[in-house]
Each structure stands twice: as structure tokens, then as C-alpha cells.
Amino acid sequence: MTKLKTICFAVITAALAGCAAAPRHYDEESSRALNLARAGGIYDQNLRDSPDGTRSYRKSLLMGALNLASLTTSLEAPLRHLTGTQTLLFNATDIMMTPDNPSARPSLMGWMPASLAANEDEAYERYVAVVDEAIVQAAESMAITATKLKDVKTPEIDGHPLILWTVKAQQYGCSGENCIIAYYIQHPNHWKTPDYVTGGESASYNIAANHPEKYSRLVFRQSGHEPTFPVDEFYGAVSAGMPPWIVMYFPPHTVIRDGEPVPYPVLYEQGKQLMFKEPQS
């Protein structure tokens, strides 16, 4: 029995290693959004293509984990005894508490060309710099003020901190204390890049979405019961400021457009919002 277990373990390990050794091939029967999501580690079957892209998530989950308020309950009721910065940190901790299912949470996925960094530590720092620059560019394009919080202690995952920015935008009801950008970059891993990732190289420093805790994310949150900030426009502007080898995925009800949550999943690539829509035959 022990020998049989050893053989089975060896076979499973080899199979998994084989899967990890090669990037996914492009599936012509799936949308580009789904191909990129699968390549980035969002592999569960709750996410799929649909004829028009609006029914691309299992309805049974939409009433539960994919509720915007459930992801950020603390933003709806800030603690009165906290200072503005402390409230932001409290809210940031809540932002980190997202569902384990990869398709049920916002995720950043990237394939940084290996030639851009000498090692994984340098690749991490470059990822942070890239996201920061994209936020700055997005803020300028939208005529809002975004300020990075540098001298505050934030929650950490695997040794890397959650990074926070505050937003002032009078036209959208953002005072600098009720609107926040929060992002986290996981430690990159060496990987092989799918050939359909724009601007990629065969070898990359990858950030993926499949780990239950150590996954990268970027979210915008506005407190109050009537959000007025154009989150959809902001995500598109941030995506446009990022290199083409970074994409952003958002599940249903986590992107706000015209004051209402978008009820279907979307993926941003190079500033464009892609839907999980079946390709035309």
C-alpha cells in the first residue's frame, strides 16, 4: 500500500509539474477575456462565456459572495472614534477579506517580461512602480487628486503590504477620507508567458490569481449609500496606464457605472473593458 501511494504521489506530482511547465494555448472557442483569465489563474467553472457577456457567472453565487456591500461592509459604517487615516486602514483590512474562489474576487494578473528585472525582488518593486504610475496617470486624466499614504502601517500578506491612496474629487463626492484606492502585489514567480499576452516575452515574472490569499488586486471604494465616483472610467484609465502585459479582472457587482454596480464580470486590458462573450462563429 505504501509503495502504491508513493507511485500515485509521483504520478500526480509529475502531472502537475507538466501543467505548470507550459503556458495555456489560446482557445479559439472562448473569448479573449476568458483566455486571459484562465491564463492568469482564474480557472474555476463559475466564470464562463455567455452569448452576450451578461450571463457569464453562475447565478447561484450572485446573491451571496458577489455582493459589493459584503466585500466592503466597513466602508458603509466607519468607526466614529477613528481618525480619517485610521478609518481608511480599517476599511483596507476589510478590502483584503475577499472570497477564496478566484472568479469571485477582483484580481490583477501580469506577465512582466523577464528582461525587465534581475530577480523576483526587483520584479516586485517594478510592479509597484508600474501600478503607482498608472494611478497617477489615471488621476491626471480624470482631473482628480490621488495621494499615496507612505507613513502608515498597513496590513500585510506574505511580507508585502497593502498599498493605499486617498482620493479627493469634489465633483464625485470624494473628500480624501471617504474614497480610497487599495492595491496589493504578491511576490512574483518565474513563469512562461502565453503567446497571446500582448507585449510579453517567453519568460516572465508572473502574478496570478489562483492562490486563496496571495493574489494581487486593485480596488476603488467610496463610502456612502449613493456612490457617485465613475469607478468603471477609473479602472479603464488605470488599465490604459499599465503595460499591456497586465490585466485586471472584476467579478459581478464590483464595478460601478453611472452609480450602479455592473451585474456581470469584466476584464480590463490596455484601457478596454472586455466582456466574457462567446466569439462569433
Side-chain angles (χ1 to χ4, degrees), residues 16-172:
L16 291 175
C19 291
R24 286 178 173 270
H25 295 290
Y26 194 88
D27 179 7
E28 297 290 347
E29 297 183 358
S30 298
S31 66
R32 179 165 180 81
L34 189 59
N35 272 283
L36 288 168
R38 295 282 189 253
I42 304 177
Y43 48 76
D44 58 273
Q45 294 304 305
N46 294 321
L47 179 66
R48 59 195 177 188
D49 284 335
S50 63
D52 63 357
T54 64
R55 292 166 291 168
S56 300
Y57 209 97
R58 286 179 58 184
K59 185 174 293 186
S60 61
L61 292 182
L62 295 183
M63 303 303 293
L66 301 183
N67 185 290
L68 178 62
S70 70
L71 294 178
T72 56
T73 52
S74 61
L75 270 173
E76 301 304 325
L79 300 183
R80 293 184 179 181
H81 66 278
L82 297 180
T83 65
T85 298
Q86 288 174 324
T87 301
L88 286 174
L89 295 181
F90 177 76
N91 294 334
T93 301
D94 183 76
I95 286 171
M96 297 177 74
M97 299 172 60
T98 53
D100 288 341
N101 198 333
S103 64
R105 61 198 186 197
S107 295
L108 274 175
M109 297 165 284
W111 296 264
M112 179 186 293
S115 62
L116 297 182
N119 51 52
E120 294 176 352
D121 291 338
E122 187 175 312
Y124 169 81
E125 296 297 335
R126 190 170 183 87
Y127 265 113
V128 170
V130 162
V131 175
D132 281 351
E133 179 58 29
I135 291 173
V136 170
Q137 291 184 26
E140 291 177 351
S141 69
M142 295 179 66
I144 63 177
T145 301
T147 304
K148 187 175 183 178
L149 298 182
K150 299 180 179 179
D151 299 322
V152 294
K153 178 124 178 114
T154 60
E156 292 187 355
I157 301 175
D158 198 32
H160 293 308
L162 188 70
I163 298 173
L164 303 178
W165 291 65
T166 60
V167 173
K168 288 185 178 181
Q170 185 176 3
Q171 66 272 37
Y172 303 125

